[in-house]
Amino acid sequence: MRALRLYAIVALALPICSCHHEEPKPYGAVPTEAQMEWQRMETNMFCHFGPNTFTGEEWGDGGEDEDLFYPEELDCRQWVAVATAAGMKGIIITAKHHDGFCLWPSHESDHTVRESHWQRGSGDVLRELSEACREGGLKFGIYVSPWDRNAPNYGTPEYNQTFARTLHEVLGDYGEVFEQWFDGANGEGPNGRRQEYDWTLFNSTVSSLQPQAVVFSDVGPGCRWIGNERGEAGRTCWSTLNPDGFEPGRGPAEKTLNEGEEGGSRWIPGEADVSIRPSWFYKDSEHPKSVAELVEIYFTSVGRNAVLLLNVPPDKRGLIAAEDSARLMEWRAELDKIFSRNLCEGATAKADSRWGKQYDIAGALDDDEATCWVAKKGSKGGVVTLTLPEPRRFNLIMLQEEIGLGQRVAEFTIEVEDDEGNWHEIAHETTIGYKRIVPVPDTKSRRIKIRITRSLAEPTLKQVGLFYSDQ
Ligand code: FUL
């Protein structure tokens, strides 16, 4: 009887207690743990490498002589060293491009490294790169093109089985893969036939062999193409999308890919792929982009809620050209110069509301990844005011949402106070997401207001930063 009474008291008290300790709930589609980890990588290196490196083609026709592939000085450790020094967290290699040539001795093809004289037919680029990545602490990713201009059964249902077995080889034999890259190009095979791809089979093959791998395609499921090859995400960029009815190669409109979809049913964040050179494959006649162009690409990709996949094609020797690695080092030095000093140092912040003590705005100024600000329950906006120790000059504002709770902010403005105490709007933007870097005119001020004017649910901020770039 006593126990029963106690139970009744506890049961009655529970709703009150749980209300008090209520945690903010995720809104809409949210990232998986693997997508979270992938997003935090921010910049990865793409390596287009294969027969095209030697022929100067962008799309080989599948009939190239295997002996053409002869990277005499191949050194994947050099690729890893360059990528690491450039701040990249992973490398994705074109294991098989549209010409069908396999950079590993595939049993599903006779157009592979095995048929070439390179290393007397015993070479394996995937083996060398995956080992170099493991040694160097980089993640390893794979691009295999479903479009194959060499496979004799291309254009028949059997090809889907061949391709699934090909996936088994690349995903089963080289250790952990962080990203599987499926491009949308789908032309004719050697017999002039086109292929109806079995995407259900391909995606389930990836998830059974490498469940943590984030699958890239026009429509995910892990991450989506950003809709251009310029490294440019939309100024509005949702990580959510409605992928139903679409597939790789038959994706949504470019603008939809570029901007994502507010309130979209699935978490499919953007990945911006772009080459450091005009072409995807190395050509002697071409040169890398300038540091200023590369810094701009960083702002329009990572700074707009996307992951940057920067292609740095190894040359005929099998090495990253000195010109490219030097440019990457200059780029990294410039980014470090900009972002090494957060001008919010010593600042205090106030928010017009908070979810509770644990979700105070102070959490957006500290370095603790686990703390963030959440506005009070039910609010669809909020105002955050930063006060710096003294007026400081800045031209970049960095904001991050706590995407574990979903992407919420749909519109915000930035205002600054002048010496006379008047406030001026210096930016009017839409989404934030994992990371948003907003370029603003050169401004010197002590007080900054972030006014979130529209949010799908209580707005969150995980991190706020002010920076200065002289670029
Ligand atoms: C596209 C391909 O057709 C290009 O050659 C390149 O590999 C690019 C990254 O993806 O679909």
Side-chain angles (χ1 to χ4, degrees):
M1 187 62 186
R2 254 184 89 175
L4 200 68
R5 213 178 302 143
L6 192 64
Y7 175 78
I9 292 167
V10 171
L12 270 175
L14 254 180
I16 303 165
C17 297
S18 69
C19 194
H20 196 67
H21 296 292
E22 191 182 347
E23 287 293 314
K25 288 187 193 51
Y27 173 84
V30 289
T32 61
E33 209 23 73
Q35 285 173 316
M36 281 280 235
E37 208 178 303
W38 172 88
Q39 190 92 46
R40 281 189 222 111
M41 293 171 77
E42 297 195 0
T43 55
N44 296 313
M45 194 159 97
F46 213 1
C47 285
H48 274 67
F49 189 54
N52 296 341
T53 311
F54 300 85
T55 59
E57 297 289 329
E58 276 295 295
W59 283 1
D61 65 9
E64 43 286 302
D65 181 348
E66 289 83 22
D67 280 338
L68 280 174
F69 184 81
Y70 208 89
E72 228 165 335
E73 296 170 50
L74 180 81
D75 182 3
C76 294
R77 289 190 181 82
Q78 187 247 9
W79 308 6
V80 169
V82 170
T84 305
M88 312 280 193
K89 301 291 187 268
I91 299 185
I92 300 179
I93 170 98
T94 51
K96 176 176 86 113
H97 203 248
H98 310 324
D99 52 35
F101 185 84
C102 300
L103 295 184
W104 78 103
S106 172
H107 301 300
E108 299 303 324
S109 168
D110 52 16
H111 193 39
T112 81
V113 282
R114 187 185 50 234
E115 282 72 38
S116 85
H117 278 102
W118 174 63
Q119 295 193 0
R120 294 204 190 82
S122 65
D124 184 342
V125 182
L126 296 195
R127 177 79 54 220
E128 296 207 19
L129 182 60
S130 58
E131 283 175 6
C133 281
R134 240 184 325 274
E135 268 174 42
L138 285 191
K139 295 196 181 198
F140 173 64
I142 282 178
Y143 170 132
V144 269
S145 166
W147 182 25
D148 191 317
R149 303 175 90 182
N150 175 271
N153 64 359
Y154 192 84
T156 71
E158 292 81 69
Y159 175 78
N160 285 327
Q161 303 304 323
T162 303
F163 190 68
R165 286 194 300 273
T166 304
L167 284 174
H168 264 273
E169 293 182 352
V170 292
L171 298 172
D173 296 346
Y174 300 96
E176 190 170 306
V177 167
F178 83 99
E179 182 170 337
Q180 170 62 52
W181 218 87
F182 285 134
D183 74 287
N186 177 2
E188 292 169 355
N191 302 320
R193 286 188 298 243
R194 280 173 180 267
Q195 179 76 30
E196 277 301 319
Y197 297 130
D198 187 346
W199 286 108
T200 311
L201 173 65
F202 303 165
N203 285 333
S204 67
T205 305
V206 180
S207 63
S208 70
L209 291 163
Q210 299 273 352
Q212 77 298 324
V214 169
V215 177
F216 167 98
S217 84
D218 287 353
V219 286
C223 63
R224 72 173 192 271
W225 185 43
I226 209 67
N228 63 64
E229 292 177 338
R230 299 187 302 276
E232 199 180 315
R235 250 169 94 169
T236 295
C237 188
W238 293 96
S239 290
T240 45
L241 196 75
N242 297 307
D244 293 349
F246 296 107
E247 61 175 49
R250 295 181 195 140
E254 193 178 311
K255 186 172 151 63
T256 309
L257 291 171
N258 200 234
E259 300 188 348
E261 290 176 281
E262 179 179 323
S265 61
R266 303 274 301 281
W267 188 270
I268 309 180
E271 180 186 86
D273 61 321
V274 56
S275 185
I276 194 169
R277 289 163 168 259
S279 303
W280 289 106
F281 287 88
Y282 180 87
K283 289 184 181 62
D284 281 328
S285 58
E286 295 182 349
H287 300 284
K289 294 182 166 62
S290 68
V291 176
E293 284 173 293
L294 292 173
V295 169
E296 182 61 21
I297 284 173
Y298 178 85
F299 288 147
T300 59
S301 56
V302 177
R304 290 185 181 173
N305 191 33
V307 164
L308 171 61
L309 181 60
L310 181 62
N311 181 60
V312 184
D315 64 14
K316 288 181 184 153
R317 298 171 302 167
L319 298 172
I320 289 169
E323 206 183 353
D324 300 50
S325 68
R327 193 57 46 80
L328 286 170
M329 299 311 110
E330 289 162 17
W331 174 62
R332 178 45 56 186
E334 189 57 41
L335 292 179
D336 286 348
K337 191 169 115 200
I338 299 169
F339 293 106
S340 59
R341 177 146 189 243
N342 186 344
L343 297 160
C344 280
E345 214 174 64
T348 56
K350 275 177 101 166
D352 62 345
S353 85
R354 65 179 187 192
W355 183 279
K357 243 197 353 270
Q358 307 93 304
Y359 295 98
D360 189 81
I361 189 63
L365 286 181
D366 62 21
D367 290 333
D368 188 346
E369 276 281 302
T371 59
C372 68
W373 168 68
V374 181
K376 80 158 185 277
K377 190 175 178 188
S379 57
K380 297 285 175 70
V383 183
V384 169
T385 310
L386 305 174
T387 303
L388 308 180
E390 70 276 327
R392 288 178 183 165
R393 183 176 296 284
F394 57 88
N395 53 19
L396 295 168
I397 298 171
M398 195 271 293
L399 301 170
Q400 294 190 276
E401 282 181 79
E402 175 45 83
I403 58 170
L405 293 171
Q407 191 176 349
R408 302 171 169 215
V409 175
E411 193 172 359
F412 67 96
T413 62
I414 309 278
E415 294 161 40
V416 292
E417 192 185 40
D418 67 18
D419 296 342
E420 276 84 52
N422 301 314
W423 288 87
H424 306 272
E425 186 177 295
I426 56 166
H428 185 167
E429 298 289 331
T430 53
T431 53
I432 298 176
Y434 163 75
K435 186 175 269 190
R436 183 73 200 273
I437 302 167
V438 185
V440 294
D442 260 31
T443 302
K444 190 168 183 188
S445 177
R446 200 168 91 88
R447 302 225 298 154
I448 297 103
K449 224 173 239 172
I450 304 156
R451 195 185 288 279
I452 296 167
T453 49
R454 193 165 77 83
S455 184
L456 307 185
E458 296 83 3
T460 74
L461 284 175
K462 191 194 190 79
Q463 202 61 244
V464 175
L466 296 174
F467 300 94
Y468 184 75
S469 162
D470 54 18
Q471 279 266 324

